[in-house]
Amino acid sequence: MNREPNPAILYPDVAAHGSLAAALQAEAAAQGMSLPLAVTSSDPLRHATITSVVPHRHSSYVAAWHHERNWAFWGSSNDRLMICGSTKDIRELPQVIRGWAEGASLDEIRKTATFDLLTGRFEVPDNNPADVIASEWQWLLKEADRADWPQYQALVESAHAEPKLRRLYPYTSHWALGFAEKPDGPYTPSFVSIGSPHGAGDYTIRECWNGPALHHVTTAAEAIAIAVERIPADLLQRSSEHPVRGS
C-alpha cells in the first residue's frame, strides 16, 4: 500500500510554524510584505486560503503536494480558474500571492513570478457570456500549445479558426473537445465530441464523449467540418446573433 508521508515529515519547516498559512506569512515578513492568508482547519500543514481585495477573485489557495515536496498556487475568478502553477521553493510564493490578493493583473503576476504560471484565461468581472467564451478559447489554445500533443493542438486550433464554433463555449471531457451554447453547464444536449489520436490513428467523432463512434477521419480539418455540419439549426441561429470575439 502506497501510504502518504506524514506532512510534518515532508514539510518540517511548515510544521515548525504550525500551519502552511503561518509559514507563508513568516516567509512574506522576511521579504518585507504581509499576506491575507487563512488556515484550512482540515489540512493546516498542506493548505492555506487566500483573500483578495478583488471581489470576483475567490476559491484561491496554496496547496502542498502529498507525496513530493512541492506547492501549487491556484487562483479563480467567477468560478473559473485564472492562474495556476507550482514550485518547490516556498520563497517564490509570497510575491505571487500578494499580486493576486492586491488585484494585480494576470500579466503582472506572471511577469513578476519566478516560477512558471499558466494564465491562459482573462478575467471577466461582469461574467458576460461572450467574453467568458473568448477567455475560454484563449485558455484552451494555450493549454493545447503546452500539452505536447500535436493532434490535439491541431484540433483546438482548427476549431478556433471556424467562426461558427468560435461563437460557442469550448470544453473538454477526457480530452475530447465539445461545444456548448453557454459557459455554465451542464452542457446538454451534446451535438459533437471529438477525440484526438495519440500518434498514429484517427480523430473520432461522437455525439458525446462516451457515445458510440460515428465517424473516423484522418485530419483535424475533416473533424471540424463534421462538427460544423452537426451544429443544430436553432443553436446556429442563436449563436449567429452574438459577436465573435478573439478573431
Side-chain angles (χ1 to χ4, degrees), residues 51-174:
T51 302
S52 174
V53 299
V54 181
H56 54 270
R57 288 185 176 179
H58 49 78
S59 302
S60 309
Y61 58 89
V62 177
W65 291 16
H66 285 218
H67 294 279
E68 178 184 344
R69 187 177 165 88
N70 205 43
W71 290 273
F73 168 82
W74 297 80
S76 295
S77 172
N78 285 334
D79 295 320
R80 294 180 178 86
L81 181 64
M82 291 289 120
I83 187 169
C84 63
S86 63
T87 176
K88 296 182 182 299
D89 189 345
I90 197 170
R91 295 172 296 179
E92 295 186 310
L93 288 167
Q95 184 70 29
V96 170
I97 294 170
R98 183 174 72 169
W100 177 261
E102 294 184 355
S105 71
L106 299 181
D107 281 343
E108 289 172 336
I109 298 170
R110 180 181 54 78
K111 289 175 182 177
T112 59
T114 53
F115 61 98
D116 189 30
L117 285 172
L118 178 61
T119 57
R121 295 182 177 96
F122 58 85
E123 290 187 278
V124 185
D126 65 359
N127 219 23
N128 77 83
D131 283 341
V132 170
I133 288 171
S135 174
E136 195 65 23
W137 274 113
Q138 179 173 291
W139 172 273
L140 203 63
L141 287 164
K142 188 165 186 177
E143 178 197 48
D145 183 57
R146 295 161 60 103
D148 192 26
W149 189 344
Q151 296 87 348
Y152 177 71
Q153 183 177 2
L155 177 65
V156 172
E157 291 177 348
S158 295
H160 180 258
E162 170 50 61
K164 291 177 181 177
L165 293 177
R166 197 163 66 245
R167 292 187 178 97
L168 302 176
Y169 182 78
Y171 66 92
T172 57
S173 179
H174 297 72

Side-chain angles (χ1 to χ4, degrees), residues 211-230:
L214 303 176
H215 304 278
H216 296 284
V217 295
T218 58
T219 68
E222 291 173 290
I224 294 306
I226 292 173
V228 171
E229 291 175 357
R230 291 184 59 83

